[in-house]
């Protein structure tokens, strides 16, 4: 500890000698003020002392990106910057982030979790084909608008939108129209006027390719819960019920026919003759 203290004291003395050259005359007040180093030198001195002798270099924004104030909100724009990954150096007080018109192919987990006040995120006009289920982790309480339009998304994990209260633009993507997409659309709110742009892509059933997805919801048997699926389920239940009744009727008729056939095979029994009593005969003779 003593050696560290001596080294630190030596560093202070060395820096003091650099910023305050030794003067053998006693300066006046004005001269003393004039001899003070510039504010930038003092800041450098504090940074050197605080960081153990190294001055940290500020993290610069990528080329083509800049920070701006729009409507009083901190905005970070990286449009058409040729980015292939989410850039570093985004200020953590950014409220609007524009990464549109780049070459982003995926968004990894936690890509924006260091932006605690982000409200608007534009990822449109990229080549996104994959979203992590935790791509928007940490944005549940702040994110309000998300633009994923004009990408290469065929599907997105529903987990990516859990907890988000957002308006999202999903138009102009080659969507695979299936039950998974239907469940995603039930969880999010589409940005006004963007629903017609959700069109079934090549990964969908051949009879759905090129059709708008929203009108199909409830008409096609995607999850078995639409009107088509409900009608199919009702028909199956009706057929099962009718089949059960038919089996019961056939069984009853078979039993009835079998019992009657056994009855026809049995010989008829003659009725016993009534005995004639002698008293009756004598009475009849007397009457005659």
């Amino acid at each position: 500890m003593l050696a560290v203290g001596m080294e630190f004291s030596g560093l202070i003395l060395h820096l003091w000698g650099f910023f305050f050259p030794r003067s053998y005359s006693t300066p006046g007040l004005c001269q003393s003020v004039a001899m003070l180093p510039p504010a930038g030198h003092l800041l450098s001195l504090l940074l050197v002392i605080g960081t153990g002798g190294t001055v940290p270099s500020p993290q610069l924004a990528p080329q083509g990106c800049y920070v701006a104030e729009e409507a009083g909100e901190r905005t970070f724009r990286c449009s058409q910057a040729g980015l292939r990954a989410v850039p570093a150096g985004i200020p953590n007080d950014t409220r609007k982030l524009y990464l549109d018109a780049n070459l982003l192919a995926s968004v990894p987990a936690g890509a924006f979790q260091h932006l605690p006040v982000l409200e608007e995120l534009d990822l449109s006009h990229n080549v996104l084909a994959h979203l992590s289920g935790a791509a928007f982790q940490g944005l549940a309480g702040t994110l309000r608008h998300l633009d994923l339009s004009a990408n290469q998304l065929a599907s997105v994990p529903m987990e990516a939108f859990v907890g988000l209260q957002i308006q999202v633009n999903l138009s102009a993507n080659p969507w695979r129209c299936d039950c998974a997409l239907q469940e995603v659309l039930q969880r999010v709110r589409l940005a006004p006027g963007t629903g017609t742009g959700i069109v079934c892509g090549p990964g969908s059933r051949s009879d759905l390719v090129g059709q708008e997805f929203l009108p199909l919801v409830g008409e096609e048997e995607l999850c078995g819960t639409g009107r088509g699926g409900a009608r199919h389920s009702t028909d199956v239940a009706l057929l099962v019920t009718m089949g059960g009744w038919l089996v019961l009727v056939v069984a009853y008729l078979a039993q009835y026919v079998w019992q009657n056939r056994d009855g026809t095979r049995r010989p008829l029994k003659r009725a016993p003759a009534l005995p004639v009593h002698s008293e009756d005969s004598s009475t009849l003779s007397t009457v005659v």
Side-chain angles (χ1 to χ4, degrees), residues 3 5-6 20 51 62 76-77 81 99-101 120 152 161 173 178 185 198 234 236 276 282 288:
M6 293 179 64
F20 298 95
T51 59
F76 192 81
R77 286 190 174 272
L99 299 176
D100 54 302
E120 185 173 336
Q152 297 299 316
F161 302 103
N173 282 282
D178 56 10
L185 295 181
I198 302 178
T234 303
V236 171
V276 179
S282 60
V288 173

Side-chain angles (χ1 to χ4, degrees), residues 106-113 129-140 146 153 155-164 184 187:
S106 64
V107 178
F112 309 103
Q113 62 183 356
H130 172 71
L131 285 181
S132 168
F136 309 114
Q137 182 178 2
L139 304 179
L146 175 62
L153 293 169
S155 64
V156 289
M158 187 172 57
E159 295 79 11
F161 302 103
V162 172
L164 297 180
V184 167
R187 183 174 294 275

Side-chain angles (χ1 to χ4, degrees), residues 132-210:
S132 168
F136 309 114
Q137 182 178 2
L139 304 179
T142 59
L143 191 63
R144 295 292 178 265
H145 302 279
L146 175 62
D147 195 343
L148 293 172
S149 63
N151 280 284
Q152 297 299 316
L153 293 169
S155 64
V156 289
M158 187 172 57
E159 295 79 11
F161 302 103
V162 172
L164 297 180
Q165 303 295 325
I166 60 174
Q167 281 190 346
V168 60
N169 185 352
L170 298 175
S171 62
N173 282 282
W175 292 109
R176 181 170 61 248
C177 295
D178 56 10
C179 181
L181 180 59
Q182 181 176 333
E183 291 178 347
V184 167
L185 295 181
Q186 290 174 347
R187 183 174 294 275
V188 301
R189 289 183 297 119
L190 296 178
T194 64
T196 56
I198 302 178
V199 178
C200 301
S204 306
R205 279 172 21 198
S206 59
D207 59 323
L208 301 181
V209 175

Side-chain angles (χ1 to χ4, degrees), residues 6-216:
M6 293 179 64
E7 291 180 2
F8 183 74
S9 300
L11 177 63
I12 295 297
L13 291 175
H14 176 74
L15 293 172
W16 186 269
F18 174 76
F19 289 112
F20 298 95
R22 181 177 294 179
S23 175
Y24 294 97
S25 61
T26 304
L29 178 60
C30 294
Q31 187 177 358
S32 299
V33 173
M35 290 176 59
L36 289 175
H41 287 180
L42 288 175
L43 179 59
S44 299
L45 175 61
L46 295 176
L47 288 174
V48 168
I49 296 174
T51 59
T54 59
V55 179
S57 58
Q59 195 171 24
L60 300 177
Q63 185 177 2
C65 304
Y66 62 93
V67 178
E69 291 287 336
E70 298 181 2
E73 296 183 337
R74 177 64 64 91
T75 302
F76 192 81
R77 286 190 174 272
C78 274
S79 304
Q80 299 180 340
L83 300 175
R84 296 182 178 274
V86 177
I90 304 174
N92 58 8
D93 61 344
T94 298
R95 292 186 177 274
K96 296 181 178 180
L97 176 58
Y98 294 89
L99 299 176
D100 54 302
N102 284 287
L103 301 173
L104 303 178
S106 64
V107 178
F112 309 103
Q113 62 183 356
H114 63 291
L115 305 175
V117 294
L118 187 64
E119 297 178 355
E120 185 173 336
L121 176 59
D122 190 347
L123 294 169
S124 64
H125 294 89
N126 279 277
V127 290
L128 290 176
H130 172 71
L131 285 181
S132 168
F136 309 114
Q137 182 178 2
L139 304 179
T142 59
L143 191 63
R144 295 292 178 265
H145 302 279
L146 175 62
D147 195 343
L148 293 172
S149 63
N151 280 284
Q152 297 299 316
L153 293 169
S155 64
V156 289
M158 187 172 57
E159 295 79 11
F161 302 103
V162 172
L164 297 180
Q165 303 295 325
I166 60 174
Q167 281 190 346
V168 60
N169 185 352
L170 298 175
S171 62
N173 282 282
W175 292 109
R176 181 170 61 248
C177 295
D178 56 10
C179 181
L181 180 59
Q182 181 176 333
E183 291 178 347
V184 167
L185 295 181
Q186 290 174 347
R187 183 174 294 275
V188 301
R189 289 183 297 119
L190 296 178
T194 64
T196 56
I198 302 178
V199 178
C200 301
S204 306
R205 279 172 21 198
S206 59
D207 59 323
L208 301 181
V209 175
Q211 297 190 44
E212 293 182 19
F213 181 70
L214 292 183
L216 297 176

